[in-house]
Amino acid sequence: MRPHAPGGLLFVALGLVLVAAGYVWRGRVLRPLSAKRAQAAVIRDRSRNLLRSADMAIAGARRRAAHGEPAIVTVADVTRVARQHYGYLFVEREEAAAALRQRYEAADCRVDCMTDAFN
């Protein structure tokens, strides 16, 4: 076996070039972050998380309901789940109510649930 094979030296040299390039260009952003895109992403995530919170609140109410009794889901349940699972410190009542109304109708809850989201 030869001590200095050209393929091995080329491989090591290429690795050193990549490490040097990474050191020089570390932390640079190729495309600057758009404030509009970031804000739109936050709004989408919040809306999606509120819908998930409403789903979890409905599922929890259905688990708590006794056999033959309707499940009672409140807007306060949705805000509590959003606070516990997603860390939202404040959720407006109208925002939580809108999410609960949407998921209430999608889950066909009129049959076995009651809510205060329509008040």
Side-chain angles (χ1 to χ4, degrees):
M1 195 188 290
R2 296 187 323 204
H4 299 291
L9 287 176
L10 183 63
F11 182 74
V12 170
L14 181 62
L16 289 174
V17 168
L18 288 175
V19 168
Y23 181 74
V24 170
W25 288 306
R26 67 184 154 100
R28 289 191 186 169
V29 177
L30 296 177
R31 185 175 64 178
L33 183 64
S34 169
K36 278 185 174 180
R37 281 197 330 251
Q39 186 177 14
V42 167
I43 291 170
R44 268 193 322 270
D45 288 344
R46 183 175 174 88
S47 175
R48 183 177 33 235
N49 289 341
L50 283 176
L51 290 174
R52 288 178 185 159
S53 297
D55 285 337
M56 286 189 269
I58 290 170
R62 283 180 170 165
R63 280 192 304 271
R64 286 189 308 270
H67 183 70
E69 290 184 359
I72 300 172
V73 186
T74 64
V75 176
D77 293 337
V78 175
T79 57
R80 180 184 46 80
V81 171
R83 186 176 58 247
Q84 289 176 350
H85 286 274
Y86 298 106
Y88 293 133
L89 298 177
F90 180 74
V91 178
E92 290 186 24
R93 186 188 191 305
E94 288 304 315
E95 194 177 19
L100 181 56
R101 282 191 297 268
Q102 186 176 353
R103 300 314 296 164
Y104 185 86
E105 292 171 356
D108 196 28
C109 286
R110 293 189 190 279
V111 176
D112 64 342
C113 297
M114 294 174 57
T115 185
D116 62 347
F118 293 100
N119 294 347

